[in-house]
Amino acid sequence: MRTTRSERKFFDHEVAVGPVPSRRLGRILGINNIPPKTCNYSCRYCQLGRTSVRQLDRCEYYKPTEIVLSVQDRLAELLERNEPVDYLMFFSEGEPTLDQNLGGEIIGLRSLGVPLAVITNASLVTREDVRGDLGWADLVSLKVDAVDPRIWRTINRPHRDLDHHQILTGAEIFARRYHGTLVIETMLVKNVNDDEEHVKELAAYLESLSPSKVYLTVPIRPPACRGVHPPDEHSVIRAYQILCSRLPEVECMLGDGSGSCVSTGDVVTDLLGIAAIRPLRKDTLTEFLIRYDAPWDTVTDLIRAGELAKVKYEGEVFYLRKLKKVRRSRAR
Ligand code: SF4
């Protein structure tokens, strides 16, 4: 018998979220395999807010079968509604490799016949077990914002026991052995990691990883910290050209790219699930509500109930899920 949506909620969030439009991979079904905002970084630009549980060690949050069953049932619902999914993607409300069962979950999910991607901050590719887990995915996206340890500390605000040199080395080992599609994501932040010399060093390092593609992004959604802004156009174009001089494929992702978000009947649950991993711009949210015949009061009610927050950033209005405090250990 298929599980219900409320049975598929752990830590008050859904395990399988979406489908959500992705700028890179089409329509993705997001997989939340860890509790909200559990990470070993606390990036200044994080769109999920400040890290509430800064954790270094991997641990168990769910049994792999719980994750696989949740995703399987959500896929079945979507299939019944003719809602296609191009990719399953671990892009949690935090860092997915902190889940010690990640490898088992990926192996279990492969049987569902949908390509699978993991978006990681790369901090744990220092570990053989994490490199092994990621090796099962069809696509892995590694975050590399800085090759200078001082810039890394400023922009990513890592757990104090992480070692930047080991991370860069671990990424090189992973890149050499990995047989899937390796992509890199670099967030450029004004006056932090966008100066010419740093971008040149970054380009030289990324070349050593031989990724299929490098995605250059800028903060376009409300960040965790004040004073985080996208670089000016000149700096973005300069960075793009420097990267292109070393790497075969570089793409700038400067727009919102939210596209159409999908609901499969429960508008409030879907809205909160999407807003937890991706703050929604007002026009995207309006389009979503109109499409599913839901009134704007849905949003005002959620704000009043403390479930949703309204934030202004770079002249745009966004709506994002308010984070609740969670316990450090498994909460079931
Ligand atoms: S952007 Fe990613 S790696 Fe950085 S704090 Fe947020 S969840 Fe963690």
Side-chain angles (χ1 to χ4, degrees):
M1 198 172 72
R2 194 182 295 171
T3 52
T4 65
R5 295 193 73 168
S6 60
E7 285 169 341
R8 300 200 298 264
K9 264 188 175 180
F10 304 129
F11 298 104
D12 198 35
H13 71 181
E14 282 202 282
V15 167
V17 177
V20 181
S22 157
R23 289 181 282 185
R24 294 180 270 184
L25 299 175
R27 285 160 59 96
I28 55 167
L29 186 60
I31 303 168
N32 254 327
N33 62 327
I34 60 169
K37 207 56 221 282
T38 301
C39 197
N40 46 17
Y41 280 5
S42 187
C43 301
R44 305 185 74 79
Y45 57 75
C46 185
Q47 64 187 30
L48 303 170
R50 287 172 188 266
T51 297
S52 47
V53 182
R54 199 176 306 206
Q55 183 177 314
L56 184 65
D57 295 322
R58 305 185 88 189
C59 64
E60 176 175 274
Y61 300 106
Y62 315 115
K63 300 287 179 209
T65 46
E66 292 174 325
I67 297 278
V68 175
L69 197 62
S70 295
V71 175
Q72 180 183 297
D73 287 353
R74 181 69 179 147
L75 272 177
E77 280 174 2
L78 292 169
L79 199 67
E80 281 168 9
R81 292 166 186 264
N82 283 327
E83 295 283 1
V85 171
D86 299 312
Y87 254 91
L88 302 177
M89 184 189 282
F90 282 86
F91 70 160
S92 318
E93 298 177 41
E95 173 48 36
T97 60
L98 285 168
D99 175 5
Q100 70 180 30
N101 290 335
L102 179 65
E105 289 157 13
I106 296 175
I107 292 167
L109 289 166
R110 289 186 71 89
S111 65
L112 302 180
V114 182
L116 194 143
V118 182
I119 309 291
T120 168
N121 66 17
S123 58
L124 297 182
V125 287
T126 51
R127 299 175 54 130
E128 189 64 50
D129 59 343
V130 171
R131 292 195 292 263
D133 288 354
L134 292 175
W136 292 101
D138 299 289
L139 182 146
V140 171
S141 173
L142 300 181
K143 177 201 296 294
V144 185
D145 295 332
V147 286
D148 178 315
R150 280 168 306 170
I151 297 176
W152 171 65
R153 261 181 239 110
T154 303
I155 193 167
N156 297 127
R157 301 195 301 170
H159 189 288
R160 64 175 179 275
D161 292 335
L162 288 170
D163 182 304
H164 189 234
H165 177 70
Q166 284 180 11
I167 292 171
L168 296 182
T169 306
E172 284 174 333
I173 297 169
F174 176 71
R176 270 199 303 275
R177 295 181 188 164
Y178 182 53
H179 296 299
T181 304
L182 175 68
V183 302
I184 304 293
E185 190 164 326
T186 297
M187 177 75 85
L188 274 190
V189 177
K190 185 176 185 171
N191 297 335
V192 181
N193 64 343
D194 62 337
D195 84 75
E196 188 170 351
E197 278 318 301
H198 180 256
V199 176
K200 281 182 178 166
E201 287 172 32
L202 178 72
Y205 171 73
L206 296 184
E207 187 181 21
S208 74
L209 302 182
S210 303
S212 300
K213 200 165 187 173
V214 174
Y215 291 95
L216 203 53
T217 64
V218 298
I220 54 167
R221 300 193 178 94
C225 297
R226 286 190 182 165
V228 172
H229 300 287
D232 56 40
E233 282 175 11
H234 172 77
S235 302
V236 174
I237 289 166
R238 183 181 61 201
Y240 176 72
Q241 286 174 336
I242 293 170
L243 291 170
C244 284
S245 70
R246 292 260 192 176
L247 294 143
E249 221 177 320
V250 183
E251 186 175 323
C252 279
M253 298 200 303
L254 309 181
D256 177 47
S258 294
S260 294
C261 298
V262 170
S263 173
T264 49
D266 186 341
V267 170
V268 169
T269 302
D270 288 315
L271 193 166
L272 289 175
I274 296 165
I277 50 177
R278 170 176 293 176
L280 291 161
R281 224 170 52 185
K282 187 172 183 183
D283 56 350
T284 308
L285 180 50
T286 305
E287 190 250 359
F288 173 83
L289 292 173
I290 290 171
R291 185 141 38 95
Y292 294 107
D293 209 16
W296 185 257
D297 285 353
T298 311
V299 174
T300 43
D301 288 350
L302 287 171
I303 291 174
R304 212 173 296 127
E307 298 280 359
L308 209 60
K310 177 180 170 183
V311 178
K312 261 193 159 180
Y313 181 63
E314 299 288 332
E316 298 276 3
V317 175
F318 291 84
Y319 294 84
L320 66 156
R321 181 79 190 264
K322 276 194 135 180
L323 287 172
K324 293 178 180 166
K325 286 204 181 303
V326 292
R327 295 199 303 271
R328 187 173 284 269
S329 59
R330 183 179 163 85
R332 293 190 65 214

